[in-house]
Amino acid sequence: MYSFEGEFRRRPQQSLGGASRKVAREELIHKAQRERLQREEKRRIIQSATIIQAFVRGSLSRQEEKRKFREEFDHIMKTKLNDQTSILSNPDVLYDQIGKLLHFYSEQQDSSRLITVNQIFLRDSHTISRLFILRFDGWLYKIQKLLLLNVKYLKNCVKPNSNISLSLRFIEVFTGFELYDNLKQNQVADNCSDNNVNLKQNFKPLEKIWDYLIRKGYYAVLRLVLDNNVPDSLLVSPRPPTPLAASLLDLFLRSLTLKSDKKPYFFQTLLQDCFTEELSQQITCFLLPALACKVDIITIDTILTAIYPDNLAFNFRATSSLLYTFIYLITKQAKSLSDQQCAEYLICVQFLLQSVPGWKTPSSNESESEDGEMIVENDTKVQIQEEIINMVNNIDHVNMILCILDK
């Protein structure tokens, strides 16, 4: 019934190549090593191909998922979230759609969608603040992300015909003290339990927001907007030359007006991001004089704490521009320095001078190129040097130093 055509035992393997020759031990070892390397190379090729294929499949899958999210986002924004009443009746829908926007956002494809969200939030800012109470931590996270997207969108100011007013307005409104003060009052009024009392004590949303934005390069973007959107033909004055300059000054100062332990870090980052590179006309003629007039916000202790060498929490890249900024801010308040502050000031100046390259006054031969053209780069450095020397020779500055030397 059953047939078996195989063999019960394995036949011996017989080599028909003739008599076997004796192979040296080293040759066998090298042959085995070559075969091992070949197998390892094949495994590496297969593993690399698997990783590449997995990445491509994952990328295509994510793109398809984001495409579906975009279509859903556009549909819901047009149908369910088109007015204030629909937002109040669908708070969870808005919450979910903002989360999806943060997931699929791409500056090249979704700038118009970000503008739509900005318009909804600015139109119904009081409604949005009421939704905070329902999911405070979740909404705070989403506001931080939306603010960061708008800060990044401000980089479009270097492009012609770019409209950044809506993003600036969004940052102004959702970093404003009034919005979060009203939110705090509503939260305390609606909740009186012990847990909410602790929440009241730890209620520092603005501190978290500013810390997040500043770590992501907030000040550098503001300087970019200032240099590209405010005219450079300015007279030295603390008064804003344009309404946009006034808005930017307010945004520069907002984080420094907080009563927070992180204020020194905020001011250090401002100096590092805006005043270490070559100073533009907008900086020297407007922003720096305006900051120097805010003696109630940028106090002497704030300036000295930011620069003092013993403060190892921040690594400054000292430049002649930073030295100029430091002396300019201190000189405006030179008459009110105490003896201790004068001593700390001299230590800070010594620290900055050690990190600044040696100054050389260019000769007539060095200041001209081979074609007889003036070298503008040297002129800028020489101008900063002259300004620093003039400030140091100021009568109030000299009296301050002589006073401390006498004591």
Side-chain angles (χ1 to χ4, degrees), residues 268 271-273 275-278 306-309 314-326 347-359 384 388:
Q268 286 173 338
L271 293 177
Q272 187 73 17
D273 290 350
F275 296 97
T276 54
E277 301 293 339
E278 181 179 343
I307 306 291
Y308 199 72
F314 201 86
N315 186 18
F316 265 111
R317 185 171 63 85
T319 61
S320 56
S321 298
L322 183 60
L323 176 63
Y324 170 80
T325 301
F326 175 69
I347 293 174
C348 292
V349 171
Q350 182 182 12
F351 163 70
L352 292 176
L353 285 174
Q354 290 176 353
S355 302
V356 174
W359 290 347
I384 291 179
I388 293 175

Side-chain angles (χ1 to χ4, degrees), residues 329-378:
L329 293 175
I330 289 292
T331 303
K332 297 299 181 179
Q333 307 183 50
K335 294 182 179 180
S336 58
L337 264 69
S338 64
D339 295 344
Q340 179 65 28
Q341 290 172 338
C342 289
E344 293 178 357
Y345 165 71
L346 295 178
I347 293 174
C348 292
V349 171
Q350 182 182 12
F351 163 70
L352 292 176
L353 285 174
Q354 290 176 353
S355 302
V356 174
W359 290 347
K360 287 197 308 182
T361 304
S363 61
S364 59
N365 295 330
E366 293 176 345
S367 61
E368 294 186 4
S369 64
E370 295 179 356
D371 300 331
E373 297 179 356
M374 296 297 294
I375 301 177
V376 180
E377 182 179 3
N378 287 338

